[in-house]
Amino acid sequence: MIFSSYNFIFLFFPVAFVGYWVITRFFGVKYAKIWLVAASLFFYAQGNILFLPILVGTLLFNYLIVFFLERVENRSRKAKVILLLALVENLGLLFYFKYYNFFIGNLNNVLGTDFILKSIILPLGISFYTFLILGYVIDVYKGRSKRSTFLDYSVFVTFFPHLIVGPVSRHDEFTLQLREEGFGRLNTRNVMLGILLFSIGCAKKILIADPLITHAQNFYNVMGTGNFFESWGGVIAYTFAYYFDFSGYCDMAVGLGLLFNIKLPFNFESPYKAVNYADFWRRWNITISMFFNEHIFKNIFHFGNKLWKLIFATLATFLVSGIWHGAGWHYIIWGLANGVLVCIANIMTIKRKKVPAWLGWFFTFLFTLLTRVLFDSNSMSQALGVFKRLADIRLLFASAGAFWGQCVTYIQGNVWVVILIVVGAAICFFAPNTKQISERFEPKWYHAVFAGALLTVSLFFMGQVSNFLYFQF
């Protein structure tokens, strides 16, 4: 079950929402939280009920970890052993489901062995809820967080808006809201803003992302026949598709959270307006970037260290980011390429080397398109093939008329895709993002009209909806 589906909008969510507030009104917040956990587990089970025991087992195991961590001295030897158990359990599960076949395949290639690959299905959301839990466990280990009640902890981990693809919330920031006096009271502003954000996210996904995803995937699936313009069209389409798909999901998640008086963090802040790559990664998938910064970068680099340490910490952080995103060498190269680009941006800042903002934006967006090829390809060989076609302008010198004729042919054959790219670009480069909309929001009648129009139009196209791209991570 996904947010942008009839089953979710007309069945699951109304029952979960009405049930939550009815239980709050007549039985109190405690039982409403229990209802929310039960509804969230039901929601998760719709993906594949066989993976529900893994989620529940991980939930229980790590609460025991936190229970024992609070009974030993912070950062002591005993605490380190307990933390190690948590790392082994969480990262071990992630390794098995996500990287086992990749590891065994490469081992066979290098050593000439013939270990058999397993038929493994990646549990939905495991990459994200693992980070939710690990962040909490590490904070308790370092003395930055305290153990909450099991019920509040369960709501934090299983809360269905952020369970599958984030955003990755911090435990203390999340559970503090569960204890606030106004938590169990229906907030009209939150409801109106929540509906607006959900409608915007739904429109992003269905009206813009899905058609662009179809076009881009068709290009990559038949890669080898695309000319210069078809290649750039496919790459640009996927670049905008990923943004509207992922940010659309996160907008819906934030909107749904507000309907329960829970404020989830925004995960995007106009990333395609960035003027350098360090700026880009402060705007894209913000909560995951903060997780890697907190738990990898800051454990390697400390204020006052030399430049080489900064470079090493940055590359190590993005190497881990690449590995986290997927089991494939193209993801690893993608991570390192982003690390190099962030290093260049940081060095320019340290050396006080400035370029005009428009030029910085141009090269940042250009390299975003090029690194996207590494991310979207199925392998390094396919990525290299796409790069070759992106640079193939031999026809321009042989016959300029034929070259530009290909451009006209591509536009004529993909008018709707080109329109969506232009509309998507206008939104990305000139429109306010949902964080800015939320900060300025004051309930008005036209917000209701706008949200209703977006959701109504989205519903007409919902029958063709696809899974969110980040479900595979």
Side-chain angles (χ1 to χ4, degrees):
M1 189 190 306
I2 60 176
F3 297 159
S4 51
S5 67
Y6 295 129
N7 284 342
F8 180 87
I9 293 175
F10 293 115
L11 292 176
F12 172 81
F13 179 72
V15 173
F17 179 74
V18 174
Y20 176 81
W21 287 109
V22 168
I23 292 172
T24 301
R25 173 68 176 82
F26 291 102
F27 299 98
V29 170
K30 177 182 176 181
Y31 290 97
K33 291 177 183 178
I34 294 173
W35 166 264
L36 197 52
V37 172
S40 296
L41 292 177
F42 176 83
F43 171 82
Y44 184 79
Q46 302 313 297
N48 190 331
I49 196 170
L50 295 177
F51 295 129
L52 185 60
I54 297 173
L55 171 61
V56 174
T58 301
L59 176 82
L60 296 172
F61 177 84
N62 285 279
Y63 193 72
L64 285 175
I65 289 290
V66 171
F67 177 83
F68 288 115
L69 276 176
E70 284 211 325
R71 277 153 179 76
V72 299
E73 185 180 349
N74 291 340
R75 303 174 188 259
S76 65
R77 182 174 297 179
K78 290 182 179 179
K80 290 178 181 177
V81 172
I82 296 171
L83 176 63
L84 180 61
L85 288 175
L87 293 173
V88 169
E89 188 270 343
N90 288 283
L91 298 181
L93 281 175
L94 196 58
F95 172 82
Y96 174 77
F97 284 107
K98 199 167 184 177
Y99 307 105
Y100 176 84
N101 281 340
F102 176 67
F103 176 78
I104 294 299
N106 281 279
L107 193 66
N108 287 341
N109 291 334
V110 173
L111 301 181
T113 53
D114 57 354
F115 294 112
I116 298 174
L117 301 182
K118 297 183 178 182
S119 179
I120 300 174
I121 302 175
L122 183 68
L124 195 62
I126 190 171
S127 296
F128 291 90
Y129 70 68
T130 296
F131 278 12
L132 274 175
I133 293 171
L134 269 183
Y136 174 43
V137 171
I138 293 171
D139 281 347
V140 173
Y141 165 77
K142 292 183 176 180
R144 296 186 304 207
S145 182
K146 296 293 184 181
R147 180 170 58 93
S148 62
T149 66
F150 179 71
L151 182 56
D152 283 357
Y153 163 77
S154 298
V155 174
F156 163 68
V157 175
T158 65
F159 189 49
F160 70 87
H162 74 180
L163 175 59
I164 309 299
V165 190
V168 177
S169 311
R170 294 192 73 117
H171 170 266
D172 283 4
E173 294 174 356
F174 186 99
T175 56
L176 177 63
Q177 299 180 73
L178 303 181
R179 301 189 298 270
E180 289 179 345
E181 184 178 347
F183 172 67
R185 298 176 184 173
L186 195 63
N187 185 307
T188 303
R189 182 184 185 277
N190 282 351
V191 170
M192 293 184 68
L193 178 57
I195 293 173
L196 176 62
L197 294 180
F198 183 87
S199 301
I200 291 173
C202 200
K204 280 183 175 182
K205 166 63 176 170
I206 294 174
L207 303 182
I208 301 179
D210 280 347
L212 293 181
I213 290 170
T214 299
H215 179 76
Q217 289 182 342
N218 287 339
F219 163 71
Y220 277 94
N221 290 338
V222 298
M223 208 289 301
T225 60
N227 59 40
F228 176 83
F229 293 102
E230 290 169 340
S231 300
W232 276 103
V235 170
I236 293 172
Y238 232 159
T239 299
F240 285 114
Y242 256 97
Y243 171 72
F244 284 104
D245 184 89
F246 196 9
S247 71
Y249 179 96
C250 292
D251 289 344
M252 285 188 272
V254 173
L256 290 169
L258 286 171
L259 293 170
F260 295 94
N261 277 351
I262 295 175
K263 295 181 180 179
L264 299 176
F266 285 96
N267 222 11
F268 291 86
E269 196 168 348
S270 301
Y272 293 157
K273 294 179 183 178
V275 295
N276 62 56
Y277 243 75
D279 185 31
F280 175 83
W281 280 105
R282 286 190 289 267
R283 296 166 175 262
W284 177 278
N285 202 358
I286 297 169
T287 57
I288 289 292
S289 297
M290 290 175 63
F291 183 92
F292 286 131
N293 180 68
E294 182 71 27
H295 299 293
I296 298 175
F297 181 83
K298 287 185 177 180
N299 284 324
I300 300 174
F301 178 81
H302 304 282
F303 182 77
N305 287 158
K306 293 185 178 180
L307 181 60
W308 72 266
K309 196 75 173 288
L310 173 64
I311 294 173
F312 176 74
T314 302
L315 292 177
T317 301
F318 278 93
L319 172 62
V320 174
S321 175
I323 295 171
W324 175 80
H325 274 87
W329 286 106
H330 56 112
Y331 288 116
I332 293 173
I333 301 301
W334 170 83
L336 289 173
N338 277 275
V340 169
L341 292 167
V342 172
C343 284
I344 292 172
N346 287 335
I347 291 171
M348 290 182 66
T349 300
I350 292 170
K351 301 295 184 180
R352 297 183 180 179
K353 302 293 184 181
K354 293 185 178 181
V355 298
W358 69 268
L359 188 62
W361 167 83
F362 173 79
F363 280 109
T364 299
F365 187 68
L366 174 63
F367 282 110
T368 299
L369 292 172
L370 297 178
T371 55
R372 182 94 257 158
V373 174
L374 294 168
F375 194 90
D376 297 332
S377 298
N378 296 321
S379 64
M380 276 303 300
S381 60
Q382 186 185 53
L384 292 174
V386 175
F387 283 133
K388 180 179 178 181
R389 282 159 182 77
L390 291 176
D392 188 4
I393 56 173
R394 289 173 295 177
L395 184 61
L396 176 62
F397 299 103
S399 174
F403 179 79
W404 293 113
Q406 286 184 347
C407 177
V408 173
T409 300
Y410 175 77
I411 294 173
Q412 289 176 336
N414 301 278
V415 173
W416 184 239
V417 170
V418 173
I419 290 173
L420 286 178
I421 289 174
V422 172
V423 171
I427 293 172
C428 289
F429 301 143
F430 304 109
N433 56 56
T434 45
K435 181 181 179 182
Q436 293 169 328
I437 291 172
S438 299
E439 291 171 344
R440 304 168 186 170
F441 180 77
E442 291 294 337
K444 303 290 184 181
W445 65 267
Y446 51 80
H447 289 134
V449 173
F450 182 61
L454 286 180
L455 193 56
T456 300
V457 175
S458 298
L459 287 171
F460 279 110
F461 293 91
M462 202 167 281
Q464 306 170 18
V465 73
S466 62
N467 280 337
F468 289 87
L469 292 171
Y470 261 70
F471 278 15
Q472 63 186 303
F473 306 122

